[in-house]
Every structure is written in C-alpha cells, then in structure tokens.
Amino acid sequence: MAEFSQKQGKRHDDAVLGSAVDFLLANARLVLGMGAAAVLGIATLAVKRLIDKATSPRDEEDDAKGDATCMEDGWKEMSLLKATPRPQPQPLPAVLSQHLSTLAPLATAPEGPGEADPCMLPQHGSPVELCLTFQEKLLAFERDHVSVPAVDVTVAQQLARDISLELQAFLRSKFPELPFGVLEPGGPLFDGLHAGAADPVRLLVPLRLEPDLWGLVPGADTVARDTRCWAVRRTQLEFCPRGSSPWDRFLVGGYLCAQLLLELLRKALTTSVNWPAIGSLLGCLVRPSVTSELLLLEVQQEHLELTIAVLPAMAGAGVNDHVLLAWPLEGLAGKLWLQDFYQAEANRLRALDDQDAGTRQRLLRLLCVICHRHPALGQLSRGHLTQVVLHLGEQEVDWAEEALGSRFLQALEELISGLEQASLLCHFNPSVNLFGTFREEEIDGIGYVLYSGLQAPELLL
C-alpha cells in the first residue's frame, strides 16, 4: 500500500513537472524561436531526468539496466546539446514585445480537456522576420532622432534671421565707431546638415578691416607655434600710426587680439542687450549663455529650441580668402585667430554627394547626433567627424543608402585608428592635427566607448 501511494505521488509529481516543461517550451518557441527552444528543451529534459533518477527508488534488478540506460541517454543529450548551435541573444523589438503581450493571456490560461495545445496556437508573424538588422535600426534612429521636420527648420531659420537683425541694430547703436559688416546667419541649419540640437546656428559678425593696414602671419611663425591659427598684424605704422584704425583699440603687441574682441562682445551681450524685449517682440525667449566660453544665445519658442553662436570673423582675409574666427583658445594662442574650414567642408561634402547621390551628409548627421547624446563622445566636434567622413567619402565607392550601416562602422574604425595614433589630419591643411589638443586620458575614454560601440553598435543608438 505504501509502495502504491509512493508510485501515485511520483506520477502526480511527474505530471506537474511535465506540464511545467511543456508550458516552458511552448513559450520558449514564441519568444526565443525554434533553435533556442530546442536547446532549452534538451537542457530542461536532462535536468528533469536527473531529478527523476535521484528521487525515485530503483529495484535491485533494474540497477545495472537503469545505469546503462541513464549513461547512454546522458551522453546522447550532452552531444546533442553541444552540437546544437547556440543563437546569439537579440533584443526584442517593440512590435514583437507587443505581439507577445497579446499572446500572454492565452498562454497562461488553464487548459481544459477540449482545449488545444498552446504550442499549436496560430502565429501571425515569425519572430525571425521581426528581428531588425543594424541597417534597419540605424535608419529608425535617423527617423526618430536625426531628421528635423521641415516646418521646424523654417521657423528656426526665420528666428535666426530676426535675431541677427536685432543684434546688428544693437551693435551699430552701441559701437558706431566699429565698422561691423552685415550679420548673416548660416551653418548646418541653412546647409541641410542640421541634426537635432547637435549644432548651433553660426552667426558671423564680420569685421571690416582696412586692407592696407593689416596683414596675416601663419600661427606656426608666431611664439604660439599653432598651425591652426593666424595672427593679424598691424602694418604701415610709419604712415598710419596707432589710432588711425578703429580696430587699433584691440592691439596687443602690434597684433589684433581676438581675445579682447571676444571680451567686449561678451560683456555687451550679457549686460547691455535687452533680450526680454527682443524675445517678446519675436514671440520667443532669448537669453545669453553664461557657462560657455563661446558667445552663445539660447532661444526657446514653444517646443522649439535653438542655439546661436555669435562668431566675430574676418571673411576673405589674405590672398587665399581665409575665414578667421575669434575663438576662445588657451595659452598664447588666445590672441590668434582660428582658421575656419566649415564652409569648405560643407561644399565638398555636397559636391561628393551630388556626383553619386550618396549618403555622406546623412552619415555626418548621424555621427553628430550620436556623439552629442553620449557624454564621453561629446568632445568629438563636428569638425572631427566631418574630416572622417571626407576621408571615407573620397575613398569608398559605394555610398548608396543600403551601404549606410557599413559606412557607419567604417567611420568608427577610422576614429579608433586616429585615436590610437593621436592623429587626425585636416583635409584642407594636413599640417593641422585635430587630435593634437586631446589629453591622453581623453583619448582613452573616447577610444574605449568607440571600441565598445564597434563590437555592439546598437548600444550607441
């Protein structure tokens, strides 16, 4: 009688465990697919069999037979488990998660005598078909985080133009003795390279210099030894002494000091301009940034946010028509003027894409947004990323949309290679190393994130 009760209890336990295994495998096929479900099923049955062998009493006459059968079955299961390919885990797409959530009540409902096996439930879509490739994930990220609606671009452009007109009127009334040129906004927003809030509008404040009184000196020939910059030297002092030019008030050691001009404009923008009145007139909120070394204006209008960088500039300076910016630089280079290649870079990218209807500009927008969103990659500026895309753009042949994912990974490889050598040469001036100002710990931090992203690029999106 005790033996009968023990057998009845074992059958009951076997039935419960069998039902649990069936339920687990049924859901595994839905979530993991057939390949992973097979692996899980083998492992689960092996564990179940080991439990049965450990808990059930064995008759003495069946010891040898049971041991041999268990040994044979165990090796078969282990060999099958090793031979079964183990699929790589994939994150569940949103569509699949929603699809499984609708099937969950059916899978957890108690089975009646006439109900069908949950494994036989009709499936309207295969999980394999819903798995997205990296190319598809990249395009989805571009659609959700990079693309800017055309109406927002139009509103932002108009706001930038209105603010530039207001600022120009202020400069003429505040500094009538300084001949500033016409302020004209530009940059990625106006060149089709705008990517979310990754880049500010460039509002150039041109200086009108007397051509006979000023000359350019390469930064490498100055005490700063900076190949990125140029010095603007005052000339003709024997015929036109100091004070003959309104810009002489910014001279330091016979050179036009960019740092002094930046300080003048910063003080004017933060203390003299009535931004609340201008914002009320334009239907937005405008305030200068006090935390950035650049002269930045932060603009908010309903759901639209815009940043405007005010950049004192000398356009068409010298025989090569250099564009020089008053940029906050450190050390001795603070008195020099930074050579700007933005417009040349934008024109070159556009020309390359026009030749083959390529996606170089789209790749640049993707890289800018990803680096802007990641704290460790924020030190990679648009200039760094543009140089990488230009380098790839003139080497690779296939720039169709289908190759965008491959070009993205190649851009990561180029950045990692440049960081390993601490070298990224400027496309328009090979003597300029754009990575030359990075410290070793900064290179290590950026390189680690990029290398991790190269192994699992989805983590960057």
Side-chain angles (χ1 to χ4, degrees), residues 117-421:
D117 188 353
C119 299
M120 304 303 295
L121 290 175
Q123 299 184 15
H124 299 288
S126 172
V128 177
E129 297 176 355
L130 295 177
C131 290
L132 299 178
T133 64
F134 175 67
Q135 170 81 8
E136 293 168 335
K137 293 178 181 179
L138 192 64
L139 294 178
F141 178 85
E142 180 186 36
R143 180 186 64 248
D144 298 336
H145 301 284
V146 180
S147 300
V148 181
V151 61
D152 291 345
V153 173
T154 302
V155 172
Q157 289 177 344
Q158 188 59 48
L159 269 178
R161 292 190 180 97
D162 293 340
I163 292 175
S164 67
L165 291 176
E166 295 293 333
L167 185 56
Q168 180 168 340
F170 165 79
L171 292 177
R172 288 180 177 177
S173 62
K174 180 69 174 180
F175 308 107
E177 72 283 2
L178 296 179
F180 289 108
V182 177
L183 277 63
E184 185 66 28
L189 180 66
F190 293 83
D191 295 328
L193 297 174
H194 186 60
D199 299 287
V201 173
R202 293 160 50 94
L203 182 57
L204 299 185
V205 183
L207 281 65
R208 291 179 178 174
L209 299 179
E210 302 86 349
D212 298 334
L213 301 183
W214 306 92
L216 297 183
V217 179
D221 297 339
T222 65
V223 294
R225 303 295 181 186
D226 197 328
T227 57
R228 303 171 300 164
C229 305
W230 292 77
V232 182
R233 181 175 59 189
R234 178 69 154 85
T235 61
Q236 304 291 334
L237 288 174
E238 60 276 14
F239 302 106
C240 301
R242 294 186 59 164
S244 303
S245 171
W247 304 108
D248 286 343
R249 60 187 288 191
F250 304 105
L251 286 179
V252 174
Y255 293 89
L256 184 61
C257 181
Q259 194 173 32
L260 291 180
L261 187 60
L262 280 174
E263 292 175 358
L264 175 75
L265 292 180
R266 182 185 303 277
K267 183 178 179 180
L269 293 180
T270 55
T271 62
S272 300
V273 181
N274 190 353
W275 293 116
I278 293 177
S280 177
L281 177 65
L282 301 179
C284 62
L285 177 64
V286 185
R287 58 176 179 267
S289 174
V290 295
T291 59
S292 173
E293 294 182 354
L294 284 174
L295 305 181
L296 298 181
L297 300 177
E298 299 173 350
V299 184
Q300 292 182 348
Q301 185 187 55
E302 295 181 356
H303 303 291
L304 179 65
E305 295 184 358
L306 183 67
T307 303
I308 300 177
V310 181
L311 304 172
M314 286 183 285
V319 293
N320 295 324
D321 291 337
H322 297 304
V323 178
L324 305 179
L325 301 178
W327 196 269
L329 300 173
E330 298 179 356
L332 296 174
K335 299 179 175 61
L336 304 182
W337 294 72
L338 180 68
Q339 185 171 358
D340 179 52
F341 297 104
Y342 167 78
Q343 202 57 55
E345 294 167 346
N347 293 340
R348 183 58 181 163
L349 281 175
R350 190 180 300 110
L352 290 173
D353 277 347
D354 290 343
Q355 292 175 5
D356 53 14
T359 57
R360 298 168 183 84
Q361 298 174 83
R362 292 176 63 182
L363 174 59
L364 177 60
R365 288 193 293 266
L366 281 165
L367 291 172
C368 287
V369 170
I370 289 174
C371 291
H372 180 76
R373 289 161 55 94
H374 200 289
L377 301 181
Q379 298 179 76
L380 293 175
S381 66
R382 170 176 284 272
H384 298 125
L385 303 175
T386 303
Q387 296 298 323
V388 171
V389 176
L390 280 175
H391 182 68
L392 287 177
E394 296 187 348
Q395 284 187 340
E396 296 297 331
V397 178
D398 186 7
W399 280 92
E401 180 177 314
E402 293 76 13
L404 185 59
S406 299
R407 299 292 86 83
F408 179 87
L409 297 179
Q410 278 188 295
L412 297 186
E413 294 176 353
E414 287 285 334
L415 284 169
I416 293 173
S417 176
L419 289 169
E420 289 176 348
Q421 304 173 18

